[in-house]
Every structure is written in structure tokens, then in C-alpha cells.
Amino acid sequence: MGAAALPFTVNSNPTPPVTGSVTQPTCSVSGGSVILNGLPASGTWTITRTPGGATYTGTGTTYTVSGLPANTNYTFTVTNQTGCTSGSGSIVTINAVPGAPVLSGPSSACVGLTANVSPASNGTWSSGNTSIATVNNAGVVNALSPGSVTLTYTRTSDGCSNTLPFTVYAYPSAPLIGTITQPNCTTATGSVVLNGLPSSGTWTITQSPGGNTYTGTGISYTVTGLSQNATYTFTVANQQNCVSPTSNNVVIQSLTTPPSVNIDYMGSICIEQNKQISANVTGGTPPFTYNWTGPSGFTGNTQTVNITLNGNYYLTVTDANTCTAVTSGFLYERYEPFIVSLQTNICEGTSITLDVNSTSAVSYLWSPNAGNATTKWSQ
């Protein structure tokens, strides 16, 4: 008896899948995908992924495998409807999910700021609908209105973006120059009142030259101790350390020459004359004030005063810089002589008594007319 024949069919293995386009993960899509081409044209097939063993069944020569976990290398085989399996195709690398760009910069700024991105990459900066200048990979923001602002950076390579919120503060106005007090004989330094300072928070004034600083609150401040013969300017920084423009100049002058004074007349004065004395002032800075004192409580506050009594008179003159000059003098009244006329004839060898009826005269001097006989005189 001969051997029996066993008929069977030998089917060909399908070719390995051909790798097409690979889509990498992004900041918004964590998984990758790959297009596999060259799949069996007829019947149903099953794709098997390594690693992981996930399978995908379908028909047609092209299929997109999606949802591939990131940071992994994959290969794929395909099994046709006869159960024949292909070899592995080429390796498909799915990259790690890219990190969002790291942005850094101050949390607040005065009108503008510079923000940086790390790692360095090509991208664009924006704030709302406003594009921001990019300089050496940094976003340079200027001339923003005060308030809350959000910067957005979008990386060109993968569209990943990140945001940086910050607050914009306005620069304070330059201090306004108020009353300037020049040096005087009481205080040898000057001072100035600065107005228009920030109304809220703590501020710091900086003086130039010298660099002295003054910290406080409120809209007005008096800077003292300013040296003579110098010109100063001031800036003010608000609580957010935004520095104002420079103020106008403050000129502190040198102290002028103090006054000197004398009284125009001291000595005797006839009783029938206008009894006035005046102060003669040289040097100093007008206007002047006058302070007279004298006997029996006499006082006066004008340059010229009327006097009524003999005695010492004292004068103090004060100028606009509170510099003073002091002088004094003694004044006494000189009286006109009393004329005694006696129309009486007397005989030689007789005597007569002449009397001056005065209680205020200080001394007396009697003398006869020339050619008269020797005569004895008395009061």
C-alpha cells in the first residue's frame, strides 16, 4: 500500500510595517503617534506594539498608532488574516514630553521690565494682543500702563508656552520746590520744603550732591542742613522703589555781611531843637527792625525816634537774616542862657543884686561889660 498525500497551503509572511510620519508629544498632548504604511492590502490585520504588547486591528495599507507614551522606543509587527506575522519594522522613537519654557523676571516693575526664558529658544513674547520686543531671547517690556500685566512666551519649535504675571507701578513725579530758607545768623545752613511727594506708602528722597537720603510719608517734607553757596537737586523713590525725575535746582546762598549801626547824634542838644535821633545802618540784608530802649522805660521801633529825657539810649538792629548790630550813646540837653536885662541906673560905689530865676540851670558864669567898674556879681 502506498503513502497517503496530505495537502496544505503555505502562506507568505507579511512585510514589516513601514514607518511614516512621527508626531512627538507637546506641552498640551502628552503622547506621540506614528503612521504605519505597507500593511496587508487584503483582509484584516493586527498590529502588535513592542514594548507594551498593545494591538490594533484594522484593514487597509495605512494606519495611525496614537497615544504612544512618551520617552520610549517602539517597534511594530503585523499579523495578516492567515495568522502570519511580519518581522519588526524600524524603531520609532517617541520623545519625552517637552517642558514648558521657564520664565523669570521681577514680580513688579516701574512701567517696564525685562523677562528671561530658560532654556534659550526661539519664540515670541506677548501681553494680551500686544507683541513684546525680544532682545537676546529676553522679553523687553516698556511703556506699559500701571496695573496687573501677564506676559506670555510661546516657543516656536513645539508651541509650548508659559506665562509670567507681574505688576506695573508708575514712576512718581519729581519733587516740587517750595519755600527756600537761606542761611542766617541764627542758622548757618539753608532748608527747602519739597512738595508733591507720593501720597501713599513710604518714600525716600535722595539729595544731590551728597547722596543724603530722607525717608518718610506724606506729600511734603522739609530738608534742612543745606550748606551755603551750593546748588541741590532731589529725586524721590516710592514704596515700590520707582525713582522720579530730578527736581528743579535749589540754590542756597552764602550768608551776607552782618549789619553795623551807629546813632547819628550823641552828645548835647539844645532844648528848643527837634530832639530826634536816627539809626545809620550799613551792610546787612533789608528789611531791618529797630529796637530802642532808654531812660524811664523809653522804647521805640522805628529808624528815627523822638527823645524826651537825658540819659543812655540803646539800639539793636536786626536784618532779614536775623543778624544783629548793637550800639548805644548818652544824650543830654543844652539849654539856651537866660538873659537878664536891668534898666536901672545906680551910683558908683553902690551895689545891686541880679537874680536868674531858673531852677533847671546847671551852672552859671557872670561877667561885666568891658569898661565897667569892678563889680561883684551873684545869683
Side-chain angles (χ1 to χ4, degrees):
M1 176 180 275
L6 180 63
F8 65 93
T9 302
V10 177
N11 296 311
S12 301
N13 290 329
T15 58
V18 177
T19 300
S21 298
V22 178
T23 300
Q24 299 293 345
T26 67
C27 291
S28 57
V29 179
S30 61
S33 65
V34 60
I35 296 176
L36 299 179
N37 299 311
L39 303 177
S42 60
T44 300
W45 42 252
T46 299
I47 296 170
T48 302
R49 184 189 80 194
T50 301
T55 60
Y56 314 92
T57 299
T59 60
T61 61
T62 298
Y63 183 77
T64 298
V65 179
S66 58
L68 298 173
N71 199 29
T72 306
N73 294 324
Y74 296 96
T75 59
F76 298 90
T77 61
V78 61
T79 301
N80 60 21
Q81 66 178 355
T82 63
C84 296
T85 301
S86 72
S88 298
S90 59
I91 295 174
V92 175
T93 299
I94 301 300
N95 299 330
V97 176
V102 178
L103 309 185
S104 61
S107 60
S108 62
C110 302
V111 177
L113 88 164
T114 297
N116 297 297
V117 59
S118 179
S121 61
N122 292 325
T124 57
W125 292 86
S126 63
S127 177
N129 295 324
T130 303
S131 295
I132 306 300
T134 302
V135 178
N136 295 330
N137 201 236
V140 179
V141 186
N142 293 307
L144 291 175
S145 299
S148 297
V149 177
T150 299
L151 284 184
T152 299
Y153 177 80
T154 303
R155 193 162 51 210
T156 302
S157 61
D158 54 20
C160 291
S161 63
N162 205 348
T163 59
L164 177 67
F166 68 101
T167 302
V168 176
Y169 296 105
Y171 288 106
S173 301
L176 300 176
I177 305 304
T179 301
I180 300 173
T181 301
Q182 298 296 342
N184 55 54
C185 286
T186 301
T187 305
T189 56
S191 65
V192 61
V193 177
L194 300 180
N195 298 314
L197 305 177
S199 58
S200 61
T202 300
W203 42 251
T204 299
I205 296 169
T206 300
Q207 168 191 312
S208 179
N212 295 346
T213 59
Y214 314 92
T215 300
T217 59
I219 61 174
S220 182
Y221 183 78
T222 300
V223 178
T224 60
L226 300 177
S227 299
Q228 298 180 32
N229 194 28
T231 299
Y232 296 93
T233 59
F234 300 89
T235 59
V236 61
N238 60 17
Q239 187 165 287
Q240 292 77 35
N241 203 32
C242 302
V243 180
S244 75
T246 301
S247 72
N248 291 333
N249 289 342
V250 175
V251 178
I252 302 300
Q253 302 168 356
S254 298
L255 184 61
T256 58
T257 303
S260 61
V261 63
N262 63 74
I263 300 173
D264 68 346
Y265 185 84
M266 281 284 108
S268 63
I269 185 169
C270 292
I271 192 169
E272 78 275 13
Q273 292 177 340
N274 184 13
K275 292 184 289 186
Q276 288 186 333
I277 55 176
S278 295
N280 294 324
V281 181
T282 57
T285 302
F288 301 102
T289 59
Y290 303 90
N291 181 24
W292 295 86
T293 59
S296 298
F298 172 83
T299 60
N301 58 9
T302 57
Q303 185 174 3
T304 299
V305 293
N306 294 315
I307 59 120
T308 58
L309 297 172
N310 300 338
N312 285 310
Y313 287 84
Y314 300 90
L315 171 62
T316 300
V317 175
T318 304
D319 74 356
N321 292 325
T322 70
C323 301
T324 59
V326 177
T327 189
S328 65
F330 181 81
L331 188 140
Y332 62 90
E333 296 175 330
R334 176 169 50 84
Y335 293 87
E336 286 296 318
F338 294 91
I339 301 175
V340 178
S341 177
L342 180 63
Q343 301 298 323
T344 302
N345 296 321
I346 61 173
C347 294
E348 183 179 0
T350 62
S351 63
I352 187 174
T353 299
L354 304 177
D355 183 24
V356 178
N357 185 19
S358 172
T359 60
S360 60
V362 176
S363 62
Y364 305 89
L365 178 62
W366 297 87
S367 63
N369 291 333
N372 285 357
T374 300
T375 309
K376 181 180 179 181
W377 304 91
S378 68
Q379 186 180 348

